[in-house]
Amino acid sequence: MGDAKRYPELRRRLSYRWWTANRHYTMYMVREWTSLFVALYSLMFIYGLSLWATGSRADFLNFLKNPAIIGFSLIAFVFTMYHAATWFYLLGAVVPVKIGRSRTKPWQALVLNIILLIIISFLAIWLVVLR
Amino acid sequence: MSQDVATIRVTRYRPEKDSKPFFQEYKVPYRHDMVVLDALNYIKAEIDGSLTYRWSCRMGVCGSCGANIDGEPKLTCASFLHDFKGRTITIEPMTHFPVIKDLVVDMEDFMEKLVKIKPWIIRDKETPPEQGEYKQSAQELERYSQFSSCINCMLCYAACPIYGLNEKFLGPAATALAYRYIEDSRDQGKDVRFPIVHEMEGVWECTLVGECSVVCPKGVDPMLAIQKTKILGATNALKSLLMPRGGH
Amino acid sequence: MEHHSHDIVIVGGGAAGLRAAIAAVELQPKMDVAVVSKVYPMRSHTVSAEGGMAAVTREYDSFDSHAYDTIKGSDFLADQDSVEFFVKEAPRESYQLEHWGCPFSRDPDGRISSRAFGGMSVKRTLFATDKIGFHLLHTLFQTSLKYENIHRYDEWFVTSLLVDKDRVEGVTAIEMRTGELVTILGKAVIIATGGCGRIFQFTTNGWIKTGDGMALAYRAGVPLKDMEMVQYHPTLLPNTGILITEAARGEGGHLLNKDGERFLKRYVPGKMELGPRDILSRAEMSEINAGRGFDGPYGSYVNLDLTHLGEITIEDKLPFVKELAEKYLGIDPAHEPIPVRPGQHYMMGGVHTDMHGFTGMPGLYAAGEVACVTMNGANRLGSNSLTECLVFGAAAGRAAAQYAMHENSPSFGNPVQGEAMVEEKRIFDQLLKNEQGEKVSSIRTEMQNQMEKNVGIYREENRLKEACRIVGELKTRLKNGIVEDKDHVYNTELVASLELDFMLDVAETIPYSALQRHESRGAHYRTDYTKRDDANFLKHSMAHKTTGPPRIDYSPVTITRWKPEERVY
């Protein structure tokens, strides 16, 4: 309402360092960046599989044995775990389970999901590799 | 009672005089039970009558007095001075909002978003009030009650970098209120509200920073509301994909 | 000067104002309604109401019972026709609010829950945990957004009513954003600005409760009725004045003195903690004066003990009490008692209106705490006021709409334009230009201390006279008050100065009205006239504005079916 003269409002730009303002923002940005490693790892893995498909299993294994690739895989593993953990935590925050009068805490979901992840991974390894 | 002295550094911006904001420092004697708002009121009454900020209820329910205190969006009426003992307390207008004067921000953008989500009960058919209340169970109430506790204080918007980067984003409080009506057993307006909350700048803009729920002084958890809205929208879309001829 | 024009201009965006706006457009969808509020409507002080809203909704209850409780609570000063209208409209208004989405607490069968409240003989107070005011206000505000014909002027401060030959034609208001004075014309004006608690030093009321609407009407020639009737609520936090709801007692909380004794057995044995507020506040003061209170840094207090209710009841029924006690006192009410003392809470008195909100001046209506219908008489029962805002807000909205349908729009010519120019000059050329003088804040503090000291729970001739004299002096001193902030944009100091000007006019009527009521009735307790005197004072005081001190005369109380009797609980 009112068309009378208006003095300018102060408009503030979001600083490019905004994500350093507090711990939560930083963790969020790190989580977002980890997805880059997940994507790179996927590309790498697809390339490896293509080697196997067009060549031999040995090409694939040689590719994987490259120290740079091993190093990268380790880094990607750490970031993937970080990414997974933050999502599990968020899952717990978004869909808490009500037990009696209290609700489950996000960290409980995190722990439960990690336990489930380990069990499923071992099951998969057992089914595919060991059996 | 023992008295300490707090150093308060407040953003000043007076559009008729200043082209740029600046900080002004004040010394405020305080007792253990005084909050930041009391300090602002002391400054205005005793030191500088021109310091400008909003407040009313001083009990954390009117939602007027939000500001960034040492960088964090907070209600000034609920932030105790003794928590900052020995430090200078920096008080700035809530981030992301245009500033009208000193700590007073322009919240018209939210007022427009609030209207957009149609925050009222939509019914196919109204029953006259003479016939009594619409029955609602305690469980049905609980599905939305926390989201009806939003006091519109805007702290969640000040905490949301997504909103800071794109002010078209519907944002935490407006989505929480939309979800509050979507989940209300008395409401039948899902089909009207879904397209609004799921449009380009709606819930899908949210990439789960989660800070909105951290700063909410009323335990509303807008992030939860946004994710639940996403889940509802996704299941709805899936349903209409699988059962194109109705099936709600 | 910029001007706008509407059919109805509503001043105030709390429960009564918003309900009036909706009622007007529901009656006549083409009605063009403006809601002018000095804050965004959801900041209005309705937001702070906690306990609940009274309405007869149960088989065990009756209109007669609600009416009798209200009238007895009022110490027989309420107009009984208004009370009867109120109790009959109350259920409809409550269900309407529920239909609009208010998240009421529910019984297992899905109906709205009801709880016990002071002075009510059965459980009839509907609630939404202990935040009914917040939920009611947001429900009304959000519902009002549905109507395209409700136009809002958020953060516009109304400075005066524009009157042409005894007919109201609009208001002048400062748009805070620009600092410009603007005229908003209307065929009808509804005042719904709430009370004036900030006149007092120790009050539950928010900063915005400065009696603006009372002063607007009073200056325009409408009398202020029963202004001596000031409600002191028995349970405020001693340092801040934050309200701890009566629902804490409704749910079973106890008031204890220093000896751990439920002292109310000496004052209201039949009702104990569910006695009316006036009697409970005096009982607390009696205990404190007898040395049975606790001593604290902010004066003496008594304890409100909820520890026996258990954590679950407190979390489910009184979460806000828990939040307030934890945040502001650092105590858990499930384990420790809450210190409380009485303080100003509500004005029974206000702008004189009939039960349709009509003030007697053509085009001018009032509703809510600002108005005195009167249904609260000398003491309001807890949980009646929110329902009052809805019932009489709706009534005023409808009455104003009916009136506006048959009136022509005022035009922006003289005398209205001239009045607006004078107002602009008064504020921006005189008040804002004052370079030397006293700070507004120090005059305000003196007023608050004076009202607290001499126009409190116990009153007596000499002290009331002193209050009259000092408030009069403060009015003179404010003429030389200065506003340090010379800017136009969002000048809260200028607004505070205008608010203080309003408050002093309103404050003055309280000791003057109290001085002439030589009896004790409801919240008005005279230590020099301790008995109720129906022969001489079963009547409403009416304070009229003059160029000097207010002139007090009286109007009769309407008695329908309930003859005045001794008020014992």
Side-chain angles (χ1 to χ4, degrees), chain A residues 9 12 17 20 24 30 32 47 50 66-67 77-79 81 90-92 95 101-102 106 113 116:
Chain A
E9 289 182 345
R12 297 165 293 171
R17 287 187 296 118
T20 59
H24 297 118
V30 172
E32 296 296 290
Y47 174 70
S50 74
N66 184 328
F77 176 74
V78 170
F79 281 138
M81 286 312 291
L90 280 169
L91 185 73
V95 273
R101 286 184 57 82
S102 57
N113 273 295
L116 280 175

Side-chain angles (χ1 to χ4, degrees), chain B residues 33 45 49 58 106 108 180, chain C residues 40 101 177 203 298 439 484:
Chain B
D33 54 4
R58 53 79 177 89
D106 182 345
E108 281 305 309
R180 170 247 175 281
Chain C
Y40 280 97
R177 199 60 170 307
T203 174
Y298 304 95
K439 265 178 94 92
E484 291 172 353

Side-chain angles (χ1 to χ4, degrees), chain C residues 223-296:
Chain C
L224 297 183
K225 184 162 65 182
D226 293 336
M227 288 303 284
E228 66 274 37
M229 301 306 176
V230 181
Q231 180 158 77
Y232 303 91
H233 192 289
T235 57
L236 277 61
L237 298 187
N239 51 346
T240 51
I242 288 173
L243 172 70
I244 298 299
T245 172
E246 189 161 320
R249 286 170 281 128
E251 294 296 337
H254 293 159
L255 284 170
L256 304 177
N257 64 17
K258 194 171 66 175
D259 307 325
E261 177 194 33
R262 282 177 74 190
F263 57 88
L264 291 171
K265 64 187 179 202
R266 282 192 288 278
Y267 307 89
V268 271
K271 284 266 183 193
M272 295 300 285
E273 278 79 7
L274 292 175
R277 290 172 176 174
D278 56 336
I279 299 177
L280 261 53
S281 288
R282 280 197 294 274
E284 288 178 7
M285 290 312 292
S286 299
E287 289 298 300
I288 287 168
N289 292 341
R292 290 192 291 270
F294 298 86
D295 289 322

